[in-house]
Amino acid sequence: DMLHNLLSRLGSRHPQALVYPLSVAVKSPKEERRKAAESLMQVLQQHSGPLVDQALLVSGELIRVAILWHEQWHEGLEDASRLYFGDGNVRGMLDTLLPLHVQLAAGPTTLREASFQQAFGRELDDAHELLRRYEQVIAESGSTVPTGGGFHGTMPGRDPRHQAQSDAEAALNQAWDLYYNVFRRINKQLPQLTMLELQYVSPHLLNARNLELAVPGTYRVDRTAVRIA
């Protein structure tokens, strides 16, 4: 509470000093940190509303430009493959891939994202459906999603009592056939993404003009700053 009050007072006098760090912290996967940042953002919003809105826009768009959907999926599939095939950690694999599928299902907001969805959307949607089938089979059988133990794959000729597990593993194997296809094609495209045109990756940043928001790192205690014009 004491720290919150101190930062609130600092924010009332120097909102530019806090707004960037807070705009990043509100996206933190750690719930406690995210809630603390959201609470401080609400305080800033009361006296510096336009500045807060601009900071959230710019920080979100900078993140969008910094790691494109191609790169997010490339990294996500690499991590998920290691978790599944290397560690047998299906839970970790699902926790890695499902947020990417949620983002994809929400739809593109830029031309670059629309291009990604057009190229890979159908295969990834099919893979997502197979993950849902896996979760459904596991839930109906009363089993738990593995978190380790190594990858064993589907074993033909198992006891009928293990049919549910066999069906679940078959769904994952089919999903990974699709994921491998997507990964291979993304891997070929990544070396070509050496130059990004703002109109395709972030039209919001392209159209940002005359902002109150300072360029990161330029704000001074005397309240001088280089602003985004």
Side-chain angles (χ1 to χ4, degrees):
D1 288 343
M2 184 179 298
L3 179 59
H4 184 278
N5 290 336
L6 177 62
L7 290 173
S8 296
R9 290 171 59 189
L10 175 63
S12 67
R13 294 179 61 86
H14 302 282
Q16 294 271 17
L18 289 185
V19 72
Y20 264 124
L22 290 177
S23 67
V24 175
V26 294
K27 299 178 178 66
S28 173
K30 296 182 178 180
E31 184 178 3
E32 184 178 359
R33 184 181 183 188
R34 184 177 66 252
K35 286 184 175 180
E38 288 172 348
S39 177
L40 286 169
M41 274 297 211
Q42 290 174 3
V43 174
L44 289 184
Q45 186 84 45
Q46 294 173 9
H47 53 74
S48 303
L51 184 66
V52 170
D53 293 340
Q54 291 169 14
L56 291 172
L57 170 68
V58 171
S59 65
E61 291 302 304
L62 287 175
I63 292 171
R64 185 192 305 281
V65 173
I67 178 166
L68 304 175
W69 279 10
H70 290 75
E71 295 163 320
Q72 289 183 45
W73 275 97
H74 187 271
E75 181 180 340
L77 288 172
E78 272 194 327
D79 291 344
S81 175
R82 174 182 52 78
L83 288 165
Y84 179 46
F85 294 105
D87 302 337
N89 186 352
V90 182
R91 180 74 272 160
M93 180 203 77
L94 293 173
D95 290 343
T96 300
L97 293 175
L98 290 177
L100 292 173
H101 281 295
V102 170
Q103 181 186 63
L104 188 66
T109 59
T110 69
L111 291 175
R112 178 71 70 178
E113 291 173 359
S115 174
F116 178 93
Q117 189 173 57
Q118 184 176 9
F120 306 108
R122 178 173 293 182
E123 284 177 286
L124 290 174
D125 285 347
D126 290 344
H128 191 196
E129 182 58 37
L130 287 162
L131 294 190
R132 285 195 288 256
R133 185 187 305 172
Y134 169 84
E135 290 184 307
Q136 180 181 358
V137 170
I138 289 295
E140 290 175 351
S141 69
S143 303
T144 57
V145 178
T147 58
F151 173 72
H152 301 292
T154 303
M155 296 175 60
R158 283 182 170 178
D159 188 293
R161 291 173 299 177
H162 298 150
Q163 186 61 46
Q165 182 180 354
S166 179
D167 291 345
E169 290 179 354
L172 288 187
N173 289 338
Q174 292 175 52
W176 273 105
D177 285 342
L178 294 168
Y179 285 136
Y180 175 73
N181 230 5
V182 169
F183 181 85
R184 182 173 50 82
R185 288 161 55 205
I186 291 176
N187 205 43
K188 289 182 179 179
Q189 292 186 14
L190 279 180
Q192 303 169 20
L193 300 177
T194 56
M195 183 177 297
L196 303 176
E197 295 187 39
L198 212 51
Q199 61 179 321
Y200 298 128
V201 296
S202 180
H204 290 303
L205 279 184
L206 179 66
N207 296 323
R209 294 288 187 277
N210 302 317
L211 304 186
E212 294 181 29
L213 190 66
V215 174
T218 66
Y219 182 72
R220 299 290 177 265
V221 178
D222 61 4
R223 302 188 184 184
T224 59
V226 178
R227 303 186 187 277
I228 300 174

